[in-house]
């Protein structure tokens, strides 16, 4: 009898322990949901109910029942704000290269098919020209490319598809200016943090790019501080701050409608005080009047440079806007000294030729490309990889 009771007790204990293990392991796998990219400010605040804890902020995700610690749980995992570990920069190019091929492959295939025709008559060359123009390569670069290809194909005489691919590869690469210095300068030659200012028209992807860039830098072990100098909408600073919080980077911000220059000034000042490695400044890009823009950005720059010179001024352009992007580029280049271009949304357009056109327009390299809305969908621009994505390796 005693043995039976003992057996029952042991069985209960064992089952209980197993149950705890299963719950425990399930709980461990359950990662907290990532914070939203931008808080929805249009949603009305949830109304408090009887029994709610007064101090619980209403806009924070509620803990689910599985996240509540069991009484016997020895390993108590914190479930509040969890800092993400960004994807290292090294591995991501492979993934993003595939995405680039998907969006840009049609252009290369179209060109190769045309070049493979038995008779390369005037009509065919015109079609090649049209294909390049449609992809936003721009008039001048298109004419140069066609002229050089015509010449080299003539010299070649009989031609194999491999030879044609080789020719096209070389000529496209030349147009992309492979020897441009595409380093994003996030380090200062002085004893101050590197200072990067991000400019561009609203909606092009400035804040997103600033957030993505912060992640890359944090992944590289840098201490990053963000400056929310887009004070036009409160949501803009919230959006930047959310990006920063995900990787543990602080955002310096001010009141809505405040002076962007003073926030930029404070961000750099605090960056110097806390020994930050890099200060990233996100700006507003209202293009209502050029003088307004010029005043605002010019002032931000002047004021920041009371501390230290800007190390990088990145112009963000939306690749899907085509020639309109060139017009924007021209305006911004008149206002500030652009040192690098970020071409966003290349995942959403086949018009990758804009890379060629915009570098030509400004004489400034495309340094980074955006290939999606995901947090790690930002890649350094590499001309070789770009051409390979276009025409296949
Ligand atoms: N598909 C895609 N969307 C992007 C990319 N970069 C930014 N976006 C989206 O573009 C929209 C505007 O971005 P935002 O950073 O707010 O632009 P800002 O007004 O210039 O600061 C957002 O919905 C972003 O998710 C990109 O590389 N690819
Ligand atoms: Mg923004």
């Amino acid at each position: 009898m005693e043995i039976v009771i003992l057996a029952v007790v042991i069985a209960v204990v064992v089952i209980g322990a197993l149950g705890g293990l299963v719950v425990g392991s399930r709980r461990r796998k359950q990662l907290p949901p990532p914070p939203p990219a931008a808080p929805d400010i249009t949603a009305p605040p949830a109304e408090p109910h009887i029994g709610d804890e007064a101090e619980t902020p209403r806009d924070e995700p509620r803990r689910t029942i599985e996240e509540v610690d069991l009484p016997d749980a020895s390993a108590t995992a914190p479930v509040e704000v969890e800092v993400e570990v960004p994807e290292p920069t090294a591995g991501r190019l492979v993934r993003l290269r595939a995405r680039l091929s998907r969006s840009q492959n049609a252009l290369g295939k179209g060109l190769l098919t045309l070049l493979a025709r038995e008779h390369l008559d005037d009509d065919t060359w015109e079609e090649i020209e049209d294909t390049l123009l449609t992809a936003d390569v721009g008039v001048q670069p298109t004419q140069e490319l066609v002229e050089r290809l015509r010449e080299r194909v003539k010299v070649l005489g009989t031609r194999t598809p491999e030879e044609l691919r080789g020719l096209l590869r070389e000529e496209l690469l030349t147009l992309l200016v492979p020897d441009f210095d595409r380093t994003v300068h996030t380090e200062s030659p002085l004893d101050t943090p590197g200072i990067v200012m991000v400019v561009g028209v609203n909606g092009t992807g400035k804040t997103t790019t600033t957030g993505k860039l912060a992640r890359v830098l944090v992944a590289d072990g840098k201490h990053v501080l963000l400056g929310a100098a887009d004070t036009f909408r409160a949501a803009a600073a919230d959006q930047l701050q959310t990006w920063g919080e995900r990787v543990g980077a602080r955002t310096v911000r001010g009141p809505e409608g405040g002076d962007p220059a003073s926030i930029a000034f404070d961000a750099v000042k605090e960056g110097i005080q806390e020994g930050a490695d890099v200060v990233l400044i996100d700006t507003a890009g209202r293009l209502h009047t050029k003088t307004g823009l010029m005043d605002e950005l010019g002032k931000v720059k002047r004021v920041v440079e009371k501390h230290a010179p800007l190390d990088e001024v990145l112009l963000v352009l939306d690749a899907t806007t085509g020639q309109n992007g060139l017009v924007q580029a021209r305006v911004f280049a008149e206002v500030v000294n652009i040192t690098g271009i970020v071409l966003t949304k290349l995942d959403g357009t086949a018009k990758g030729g804009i890379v060629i056109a915009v570098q030509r327009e400004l004489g400034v390299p495309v340094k980074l490309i955006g290939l999606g809305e995901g947090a790690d969908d930002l890649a350094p621009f590499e001309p070789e990889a770009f051409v390979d994505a276009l025409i296949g390796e």
Side-chain angles (χ1 to χ4, degrees), residues 214-291:
R215 292 175 72 89
V216 171
L217 294 167
V218 168
D220 288 346
K222 299 261 170 81
H223 173 173
V224 177
L225 198 63
L226 301 172
D230 179 355
T231 57
F232 195 53
R233 301 170 301 132
D238 290 343
Q239 188 190 355
L240 186 68
Q241 189 169 347
T242 304
W243 275 99
E245 278 168 358
R246 288 174 67 171
V247 289
R250 191 166 70 82
T251 300
V252 176
R253 52 185 296 179
E256 183 174 352
D259 177 21
S262 82
I263 289 161
F265 182 85
D266 287 349
V268 176
K269 186 178 78 187
E270 290 174 36
I272 292 170
Q273 278 166 358
E274 63 186 61
D277 297 306
V278 193
V279 179
L280 302 178
I281 301 167
D282 184 25
T283 61
R286 288 160 291 143
L287 255 188
H288 295 326
T289 63
K290 201 167 90 182
T291 45

Side-chain angles (χ1 to χ4, degrees), residues 200-209 212 230 233 239 243 282-283 316 318 343-348 369-374 377:
V201 170
N202 278 349
T204 52
K206 284 183 304 297
T207 305
T208 308
T209 299
K212 288 173 175 174
D230 179 355
R233 301 170 301 132
Q239 188 190 355
W243 275 99
D282 184 25
T283 61
V316 179
D318 175 344
L343 212 54
T344 59
K345 311 188 196 181
L346 264 177
D347 53 310
I369 52 176
L371 286 162
E373 295 191 86
D377 292 344

Side-chain angles (χ1 to χ4, degrees), residues 103-176:
S103 62
Q104 305 304 319
N105 196 259
L107 166 63
K109 277 220 183 91
L111 290 175
L112 287 172
T113 309
L114 287 167
L115 283 171
R117 284 191 187 165
E118 205 169 328
H119 298 291
L120 286 173
D121 53 16
D122 284 351
D123 283 350
T124 307
W125 284 111
E126 219 161 272
E127 277 182 69
I128 290 173
E129 220 172 90
D130 288 346
T131 308
L132 290 163
L133 288 174
T134 308
D136 275 339
V137 171
V139 176
Q140 183 70 25
T142 294
Q143 276 166 3
E144 284 173 28
L145 182 70
V146 167
E147 219 162 274
R148 290 191 51 88
L149 274 179
R150 263 186 114 142
E151 196 57 41
R152 294 185 70 179
V153 167
K154 210 188 316 173
V155 172
L156 213 57
T158 52
R159 44 193 192 268
T160 66
E162 269 327 293
E163 282 171 322
L164 286 172
R165 183 190 299 270
L167 284 187
L168 186 59
R169 189 179 194 284
E170 275 179 36
E171 293 303 332
L172 283 171
L173 207 50
T174 306
L175 285 183
L176 285 168

